[in-house]
Amino acid sequence: MSHVVAPARDELPPPPVRVGLVGAGPWARAMHARMLAAGPETALTAVWARRPEAAAELAQAHGALAAGSFEELLDHCEAVAFAVPPAVQAGVAVRAAAAGRALLLEKPLGADLAAARAVADAVAEHGVVSQLVLTKRYHPATRAFLAEAATRQVLGARSCYLHGAFLGGEFATGWRLEHGALLDLGPHLLDLLDSAVAPIVSVRGTGDPRRWIELTCEHENGAVSQASLSGSVSLPRGRTRVELFGPDEELVYDTADIDHEECWPVLRREFANAVRTGTGTGIDAARGLRLQELLDQAGKA
């Protein structure tokens, strides 16, 4: 008689991380809910939003609970993902951290530097895992670019993040139209420049972030970089491009041909692993606070 040997307990995969989602708007529907529900590393267990009917619709679509309150959401999860405006995220993220829940945070952390600092401080005080949804950082092409950049001497860089989403459509939301491209797109580009060139020591901005804003960054290694940001220009498709210059051949990162769907499984897997091991990736609330300090500096220039 043959016997089937069960795998050893330590070979069994860990159970999926139970994640509650705050928010039921366009980005929650397009990315967060379907990514978290797809698993296998995570399970979407509950959805809470300021509009109960939107939360109920999104929860039903993914077999999750529509929580009647933020406290009820916390009761049904061990980690909380946020897909809400930064002013809303900051307040509830502090409460989630105090409740001991891991955080999957959107950028920017808050609507201003004080709010962002409150989130980062709560994460540090309560010792919870945090991870920032800097989407492009989870794509293999981005990681290959940053790895190659680390081998280069960079003297200068220029970059842009441009699209027309603020001109109309469901992503032309109130906070984006109020604060413009600096808070919405700036974290992505500043993160890439800070990582690819060298830490940014100062940044100044010119222009109107609701129309077009230009950033000049000075880096720790003496390099200077430029960043152009706008969500109000008509383009066939969004454009994100970083060009590094130095003694070697230029190095170019361009998202025109990358599939952003490749980001989500990496993000989900790394967040779940961080929650299970208690060890973050470094793309966390502290990183978000650093980026917000740069945004604040650029906005005051």
Side-chain angles (χ1 to χ4, degrees):
M1 180 185 296
S2 61
H3 296 278
V4 176
V5 179
R9 179 174 293 272
D10 60 0
E11 294 177 355
L12 293 174
V17 174
R18 296 175 296 111
V19 186
L21 174 60
V22 175
W27 190 232
R29 297 193 303 270
M31 193 282 280
H32 279 275
R34 67 185 182 90
M35 175 191 74
L36 295 168
E41 302 90 351
T42 60
L44 180 63
T45 55
V47 179
W48 174 75
R50 291 175 293 177
R51 294 183 297 121
E53 67 281 2
E57 181 179 353
L58 186 58
Q60 182 178 20
H62 296 284
L65 168 77
S69 66
F70 182 62
E71 289 71 25
E72 185 180 7
L73 179 102
L74 293 178
D75 288 341
H76 288 83
C77 68
E78 57 192 304
V80 182
F82 299 87
V84 288
V88 178
Q89 172 175 267
V92 287
V94 168
R95 292 166 59 191
R101 303 300 188 266
L103 309 179
L104 185 62
L105 297 156
E106 273 295 339
K107 52 74 208 163
L109 287 187
D112 55 38
L113 183 55
R117 184 171 288 118
V119 175
D121 287 350
V123 166
E125 178 185 353
H126 299 288
V128 297
V129 164
S130 65
Q131 188 160 314
L132 201 59
V133 183
L134 283 170
T135 307
K136 295 169 178 56
R137 279 287 216 112
Y138 301 97
H139 198 284
T142 309
R143 295 184 170 184
F145 164 72
L146 293 177
E148 177 59 28
T151 70
R152 304 288 190 96
Q153 178 188 2
V154 181
L155 301 180
R158 60 187 183 188
S159 63
C160 66
Y161 194 168
L162 309 170
H163 62 54
F166 299 173
L167 297 175
E170 62 180 4
F171 286 102
T173 53
W175 78 268
R176 290 185 173 91
L177 296 181
E178 178 184 357
H179 296 286
L182 183 61
L183 280 192
D184 187 28
L185 309 182
H188 291 290
L189 215 48
L190 287 173
D191 174 66
L192 289 172
L193 291 170
D194 185 81
S195 301
V197 179
I200 298 170
V201 295
S202 69
V203 56
R204 58 187 183 275
T206 55
D208 182 349
R210 293 166 296 182
R211 294 164 55 84
W212 183 291
I213 186 167
E214 199 78 20
L215 306 181
T216 300
C217 305
E218 296 182 10
H219 297 258
E220 198 174 73
N221 62 352
V224 176
S225 64
Q226 297 287 140
S228 303
L229 300 164
S230 180
S232 303
V233 293
S234 181
L235 290 170
R237 57 193 300 184
R239 183 177 305 166
T240 307
R241 185 177 173 91
V242 179
E243 303 169 341
L244 306 183
F245 301 93
D248 303 313
E249 182 181 5
E250 69 174 315
L251 179 63
V252 177
Y253 168 77
D254 195 322
T255 64
D257 296 321
I258 74 171
D259 181 1
H260 282 83
E261 289 297 316
E262 294 182 47
C263 302
W264 315 139
V266 178
L267 191 162
R268 181 179 60 237
R269 181 173 61 251
E270 293 187 356
F271 179 60
N273 183 66
V275 174
R276 288 286 173 248
T277 63
T279 304
T281 63
I283 310 174
D284 55 14
R287 179 63 173 168
L289 176 58
R290 175 59 185 146
L291 295 175
Q292 194 109 23
E293 289 171 345
L294 295 174
L295 296 171
D296 183 71
Q297 190 179 140
K300 290 178 178 178

